[in-house]
Amino acid sequence: MKYVRRPALMALPVVAALSAAIPAGAAPSSGATALRLESYVSNQSSIGLGVINKLDGSYTHGNYDAILPAGRRTDTYLGWNKADGFYSGAGYCSDVSYWNGSRWVLKGTGLPGLHRLTDDIGQDIKRWEIRAYRC
């Protein structure tokens, strides 16, 4: 029984030293200004989705800026304040829906390729939901 207690007692000074090294008031600087959320893409697929932050023709990975994993959103996962489009690879179609303020509305089905999400859908924040699938 003494053998079990001894390692636990030895660990206490390490924990105390670690917690003493972190200032009690440590918090992000309040001087940083957050950008207003304009739009996001929610990937409702079971696969990753190529997403585009700004439709400017210059993308980090050729046809898209980042891969958005299944079940994630561009604002919360990537930290983007807007998403202008997405890219579905060869062999993948996509159902594109938007939030109209009370429910998700299917806007259409897209073939493989680059898709713009800059339409005015009558909301302050444009919320897009994408479901990519084999076609």
Side-chain angles (χ1 to χ4, degrees), residues 10-96:
M10 290 176 68
L12 286 176
V14 174
V15 172
L18 286 175
S19 49
I22 302 170
S29 170
S30 59
T33 306
L35 295 174
R36 182 183 72 81
L37 180 61
E38 294 179 36
S39 62
Y40 69 77
V41 168
S42 176
N43 182 3
Q44 296 301 306
S45 313
S46 60
I47 58 170
L49 181 69
V51 287
I52 300 166
N53 184 224
K54 182 178 179 179
L55 283 169
D56 59 5
S58 177
Y59 309 118
T60 308
H61 300 285
N63 296 315
Y64 54 88
D65 290 315
I67 295 282
L68 185 64
R72 302 292 185 153
R73 290 180 8 184
T74 54
D75 60 329
T76 56
Y77 184 76
L78 297 171
W80 295 355
N81 72 313
K82 73 175 194 168
D84 281 350
F86 70 96
Y87 177 82
S88 54
Y92 286 90
C93 292
S94 52
D95 288 340
V96 179

